[in-house]
Amino acid sequence: MIQTLNHVSEYKEELIYPAICRAFDALDIEKDMRPGLKVAIKPNLILAKSPDVPVTTHPLVIKAVARWLNEHGVTDITLAESSGGLYNAEYMGNIYRVCGMKQLEPQVRLNMDFSAKTVNCPEAFANHSFHIITPILEADYVINICKLKTHAMTGYSGGIKNLFGTIPGLEKPQLHYLWPDIKDFSRMLVELAQTVNPQVTVIDAIDAMEGNGPTGGTSHPLHMILAARDFYTQDYFAAKLMGLDPMNIEMIAQAVTLGLAKPDELKLIGDPIPDNLTPFQVPDSKKLDFSNYLPGPLGKIFAKFAAGVLKSYPQLDDNLCVGCGKCAESCPAHIIEIKNRKAVFKKKGCISCFCCQEMCPMKAISVKKAL
Ligand code: SF4
Ligand code: SF4
């Protein structure tokens, strides 16, 4: 279970490329390469945000991977992503432009095929099938390049969570609605990860996000790139680097239980773990919930209590809201309306998925506890 860690002090091509070379050498990625190989790169482009803020995968990390592929004879490379909003040419064209992806052309093809196909899952899966974007399914080889962040709903966003962006556009909120409980939603994420099963995962943690991630948090640079074939153990490792308890992140805990993540077999290659790491701020939605730290029955009793009084809900700052409607578009429970150019939340029906907070470009939505 080789994990690689390479220090990269800042976003400069001449620093990132050697780090990718060292990581891919350690993982022996070269042996997978052949002329004609069709590669899909799955970035995190959740929102149209400049690469200067740690919301999306930095284009220079993708550029370094594409350069490595080119130098190993691979030229058929497609950037395949479905962002948080719509999945069409206009929406994704804007995402590519704002997120700095245009500089990747012509080495990388920015996907413009917005179709998706149904993939059946093995019988044991709770999700009998997934609808997945075509360029991922048509690739021979998938490289998952995510951003390291905290996350209001799942607590952590890395390799497993990034693959949720293989579900087309507004079908993502539908899955939130189908699986509103964090345990079920996490199981769905793990099953989706098993279905897509990327060959390599690179985590861009040169700059990372803490606090109200995945879009409304603040910068917490780790100055490192993590790469691995085994992205389940990688998520366990990365969460620990952030000062989080991986077993308190439901999707990682499930990956451990299923034997997908094997922290006991972790072998680190590359630079040492810095000894001056500071813990990441957790999202407001996760504050006060310490049920997982209490032993057995006490934890269960507290969890029941917490489910009511500590449940988190979105709260709007009217002064920041510009009435763009992106929250309403992404709300799986359809409880947000735009009236007089402001978002209005209905009182009942919220499943606390925080898709609205995630998609708000103005940071107008915060989290409040019922207590
Ligand atoms: S809350 Fe945010 S996403 Fe919703 S309408 Fe206002 S500005 Fe747009
Ligand atoms: S209001 Fe926000 S948190 Fe509640 S269901 Fe809708 S998107 Fe999810």
Side-chain angles (χ1 to χ4, degrees):
M1 298 297 153
I2 294 175
Q3 301 293 323
T4 69
L5 184 162
N6 283 282
H7 293 162
V8 179
S9 57
E10 56 184 311
Y11 287 108
K12 282 194 172 158
E13 203 173 340
E14 63 270 27
L15 300 177
I16 301 170
Y17 181 66
I20 292 293
C21 291
R22 286 195 296 274
F24 282 19
D25 275 356
L27 298 167
D28 198 12
I29 304 298
E30 188 172 2
K31 80 169 188 313
D32 302 346
M33 299 296 114
R34 56 176 163 78
L37 190 76
K38 220 171 151 60
V39 174
I41 291 179
K42 166 67 183 78
N44 180 338
L45 304 179
I46 182 171
L47 215 56
K49 286 281 178 189
S50 150
D52 298 339
V53 287
V55 173
T56 53
T57 306
H58 199 285
L60 290 182
V61 178
I62 302 171
K63 199 170 184 178
V65 172
R67 180 172 157 195
W68 186 94
L69 289 167
N70 282 173
E71 289 183 4
H72 290 78
V74 174
T75 53
D76 190 342
I77 310 167
T78 303
L79 192 79
E81 165 72 323
S82 163
S83 301
L86 300 173
Y87 188 52
N88 61 31
E90 192 186 347
Y91 196 91
M92 289 306 301
N94 185 49
I95 294 269
Y96 293 148
R97 187 180 55 76
V98 177
C99 297
M101 297 297 131
K102 292 276 184 193
Q103 65 180 286
L104 302 175
E105 293 177 308
Q107 281 78 16
V108 178
R109 185 187 309 111
L110 305 182
N111 174 52
M112 283 306 219
D113 168 3
F114 299 107
S115 61
K117 290 178 183 149
T118 300
V119 185
N120 292 323
C121 303
E123 259 177 39
F125 283 34
N127 297 274
H128 300 300
S129 65
F130 282 107
H131 205 208
I132 291 178
I133 59 174
T134 304
I136 291 285
L137 296 178
E138 287 187 344
D140 305 315
Y141 202 88
V142 176
I143 304 183
N144 187 20
I145 312 186
C146 57
K147 189 79 169 170
L148 190 66
K149 297 187 280 187
T150 47
H151 193 286
M153 187 197 185
T154 57
Y156 163 92
S157 180
I160 299 172
K161 179 70 178 65
N162 194 42
L163 298 171
F164 195 41
T166 63
I167 302 290
L170 298 177
E171 291 182 33
K172 288 189 275 296
Q174 288 171 22
L175 284 172
H176 273 285
Y177 201 63
L178 191 61
W179 308 111
D181 182 84
I182 183 68
K183 285 194 189 318
D184 297 335
F185 187 74
S186 302
R187 181 193 54 190
M188 181 278 296
L189 288 176
V190 171
E191 293 187 349
L192 177 61
Q194 287 176 276
T195 306
V196 177
N197 201 19
Q199 279 82 355
V200 191
T201 294
V202 176
I203 299 184
D204 167 9
I206 300 173
D207 194 5
M209 178 175 280
E210 67 177 357
N212 291 324
T215 59
T218 47
S219 160
H220 188 138
L222 283 184
H223 304 294
M224 57 178 78
I225 284 196
L226 308 173
R229 288 179 181 271
D230 164 16
F231 57 96
Y232 302 104
T233 308
Q234 185 185 37
D235 273 348
Y236 185 102
F237 176 59
K240 276 202 102 119
L241 292 176
M242 295 164 86
L244 305 173
D245 177 356
M247 296 308 281
N248 206 14
I249 308 290
E250 186 60 35
M251 65 185 144
I252 300 179
Q254 291 194 22
V256 172
T257 307
L258 290 167
L260 297 166
K262 298 186 172 103
D264 294 344
E265 296 175 24
L266 192 156
K267 185 180 169 208
L268 184 62
I269 296 185
D271 293 322
I273 298 172
D275 48 20
N276 58 351
L277 295 180
T278 52
F280 277 49
Q281 292 284 327
V282 297
D284 291 339
S285 56
K286 299 291 174 195
K287 285 179 183 161
L288 294 177
D289 184 0
F290 47 89
S291 52
N292 283 331
Y293 297 105
L294 295 172
L298 265 185
K300 278 192 185 142
I301 293 167
F302 181 80
K304 222 172 175 181
F305 163 77
V309 295
L310 294 184
K311 195 174 176 196
S312 304
Y313 294 97
Q315 183 169 36
L316 184 75
D317 182 338
D318 267 347
N319 295 325
L320 294 177
C321 177
V322 294
C324 68
K326 292 205 183 319
C327 53
E329 195 177 88
S330 64
C331 174
H334 304 293
I335 59 162
I336 309 174
E337 283 180 279
I338 304 299
K339 287 185 183 162
N340 301 324
R341 297 201 179 161
K342 297 287 172 198
V344 178
F345 291 68
K346 281 190 198 149
K347 288 220 163 73
K348 283 193 175 160
C350 178
I351 58 170
S352 303
C353 63
F354 301 107
C355 293
C356 52
Q357 188 198 30
E358 220 173 288
M359 296 312 295
C360 177
M362 306 306 294
K363 293 193 183 182
I365 300 172
S366 59
V367 170
K368 75 166 181 200
K369 297 275 182 199
L371 188 64

